Amino acid sequence: MKYAILFGGNSYEHEISIVSAVVLKKVLKADLIFIFCDENREFYEIPNEKLNAKTFSSKAFEKEKKLFLKQGGFYLKSFFGESKLEFDCVINLIHGRDGEDGKIAALFEFYGIKFIGPRLEASVLSFNKEYTKLYAKSVGVKTLAYTMIRNDEKKDLTPTFPCILKPARLGSSIGISVVKDSKEFEYAKDVGFEFDKDILIEEFKSDIKEYNLAGCMIKDEFIFSIIEEPKKKEFLDFEQKYLSFSGNNELVEANLSENLKEKLKESFKRIYNPLFKGALIRCDFFVLDDEVYINEINPNPGSLAHYLFKDFNEIIQKLSQDVKNEKKISINYNFLHSINGQKGKL
């Protein structure tokens, strides 16, 4: 299999996506090509040997071959016209806006490009934390109680302290604040509204447990990762998630009862099937008093959560062979032909 790794995008998580692409280059044992989407949403083919931080921080990528989308795939202009970039499947590795909000999914469906990643409806529901909670409730998965505040609404709100504020459409823990009083709350609102017009507020529970579970569905069979209990301080912030990354860390599965493992997997199944078919996702769960709550759905997890799987390469290969785009509708114009055969043609 030959994969095209799409990364970058016009997103606050743009640089995290670049890191994910670099990591995937190291761990995915396959023929890979890399397609970078810059902040202006222009596409570039990045040679494997140039996939490093300096290529992007210096904007040297602008000297690379520029690509464009049309029916069937990515193309580049050549001396003789156009040539198609050859690959079997795209892996959507854009985090946040563009990659996880549905724009890329819509483009790939529109142009008939086979891809691993969330489809349009799954993207919309997982990108917005408020929609995620509504979706989870509809499939029988619990969520913590919450309140929404909007930047364009003028209403006084006195939450229960301590509480946590989360921009509704951001991942990677960007813009999140834990506050303990009214003064901190006002400052945290200003921070949150710098990133999003909607903020979700939950009561902060210091004794809550967090567990991460990744997986996908291949030929109607669920494939699960190990269950991870991430190490954290007060909450799992941006620095803990990314700046301390080391490929040499040995992952240890969370020490859980079989009953709790099954609860987590059952919640994952309800979230995933059928909306997320075609994607490898990671669900971040809370556990409180032995009850499971969904915290967040990561439809394009960092480096596709490879570190949670013992057989990551095999899973990606099988998933890429199993993914399907929407069925093409055949247009035969029979109705218009029937109109033309009648008096008073259209």
Side-chain angles (χ1 to χ4, degrees):
M1 293 290 289
K2 187 173 186 178
Y3 304 111
I5 311 299
L6 177 67
F7 65 106
N10 185 261
S11 164
Y12 287 115
E13 298 168 74
H14 177 95
E15 292 169 88
I16 302 305
S17 180
I18 294 172
V19 172
S20 280
V22 173
V23 171
L24 213 57
K25 176 189 171 185
K26 297 177 182 178
V27 301
L28 199 53
K29 309 303 181 186
D31 192 0
L32 304 176
I33 56 176
F34 292 89
I35 301 173
F36 176 61
C37 178
D38 75 354
E39 63 181 312
N40 299 314
R41 294 171 172 144
E42 301 280 2
F43 298 106
Y44 297 85
E45 182 184 4
I46 307 299
N48 287 28
E49 67 274 12
K50 295 183 181 179
L51 192 69
N52 55 59
K54 188 176 180 181
T55 294
F56 305 101
S57 61
S58 67
K59 296 204 171 183
F61 67 84
E62 293 178 343
K63 299 176 183 177
E64 303 304 327
K65 295 175 182 176
K66 205 168 187 179
L67 305 172
F68 62 94
L69 275 169
K70 61 181 288 188
Q71 198 61 39
F74 285 90
Y75 290 76
L76 55 91
K77 294 189 182 298
S78 65
F79 184 77
F80 298 103
E82 298 173 355
S83 60
K84 184 180 177 183
L85 205 61
E86 295 298 333
F87 54 80
D88 298 300
C89 185
V90 178
I91 298 176
N92 178 6
L93 203 61
I94 297 179
H95 306 318
R97 192 167 76 173
D98 289 353
E100 293 180 317
D101 63 0
K103 293 188 187 77
I104 289 299
L107 280 172
F108 284 172
E109 291 285 10
F110 189 84
Y111 287 116
I113 300 170
K114 187 177 179 182
F115 71 105
I116 291 174
R119 273 48 191 169
L120 180 59
E121 293 89 346
S123 298
V124 170
L125 291 174
S126 57
F127 182 63
N128 185 310
K129 291 178 174 62
E130 182 180 13
Y131 295 170
T132 297
K133 285 181 176 286
L134 296 172
Y135 169 63
K137 182 180 179 181
S138 75
V139 296
V141 177
K142 293 183 178 182
T143 70
L144 296 180
Y146 70 100
T147 302
M148 299 298 301
I149 53 175
R150 323 283 183 187
N151 199 15
D152 56 357
E153 289 181 355
K154 304 297 181 183
K155 66 176 183 181
D156 294 326
L157 176 68
T158 304
T160 301
F161 296 112
C163 63
I164 186 166
L165 280 70
K166 306 175 181 179
R169 301 169 186 84
L170 272 178
S172 303
S173 300
I174 298 172
I176 290 180
S177 301
V178 175
V179 302
K180 299 176 177 64
D181 55 44
S182 297
K183 184 177 180 180
E184 290 183 354
F185 179 69
E186 292 303 315
Y187 178 76
K189 277 200 307 182
D190 291 340
V191 171
F193 284 137
E194 286 292 319
F195 295 102
D196 203 324
K197 62 184 181 66
D198 300 317
I199 296 174
L200 183 143
I201 305 173
E202 293 172 338
E203 183 181 350
F204 181 73
K205 299 179 183 294
S206 58
D207 57 341
I208 207 161
K209 291 284 190 178
E210 292 190 35
Y211 300 102
N212 298 336
L213 175 61
C216 60
M217 196 178 210
I218 300 173
K219 296 189 182 300
D220 298 323
E221 178 185 352
F222 275 100
I223 308 295
F224 291 111
S225 72
I226 68 167
I227 298 172
E228 173 195 28
E229 182 176 6
K231 296 178 181 178
K232 59 176 183 173
K233 299 172 188 173
E234 194 170 39
F235 72 99
L236 194 60
D237 60 15
F238 180 91
E239 181 176 353
Q240 293 174 79
K241 277 187 175 181
Y242 301 107
L243 299 187
S244 61
F245 172 79
S246 170
N248 298 319
N249 291 341
E250 183 180 352
L251 186 68
V252 178
E253 186 164 9
N255 184 18
L256 300 173
S257 68
E258 290 302 317
N259 181 53
L260 186 51
K261 287 180 182 179
E262 286 306 311
K263 283 185 178 181
L264 289 164
K265 289 178 180 179
E266 180 58 33
S267 294
F268 185 101
K269 289 178 181 179
R270 293 187 179 199
I271 291 290
Y272 187 97
N273 188 29
L275 199 65
F276 286 88
K277 281 186 175 180
L280 189 156
I281 73 171
R282 193 189 76 223
C283 287
D284 300 349
F285 293 105
F286 289 141
V287 174
L288 185 64
D289 298 328
D290 209 38
E291 290 293 332
V292 173
Y293 300 81
I294 185 69
N295 175 33
E296 187 174 306
I297 304 170
N298 292 276
N300 291 342
S303 63
L304 262 71
H306 72 91
Y307 54 93
L308 295 176
F309 294 95
K310 296 181 176 68
D311 51 356
F312 178 71
N313 280 273
E314 183 181 348
I315 290 169
I316 290 297
Q317 181 180 348
K318 289 181 176 178
L319 181 59
S320 67
Q321 292 168 342
D322 192 56
V323 293
K324 297 177 179 65
N325 284 38
E326 64 183 3
K327 185 179 179 181
K328 186 177 180 181
I329 298 172
S330 178
I331 309 296
N332 55 32
Y333 296 106
N334 286 341
F335 176 63
L336 293 183
H337 285 312
S338 69
I339 293 175
N340 281 333
Q342 298 173 8
K343 292 181 178 179
K345 295 178 181 180
L346 187 66

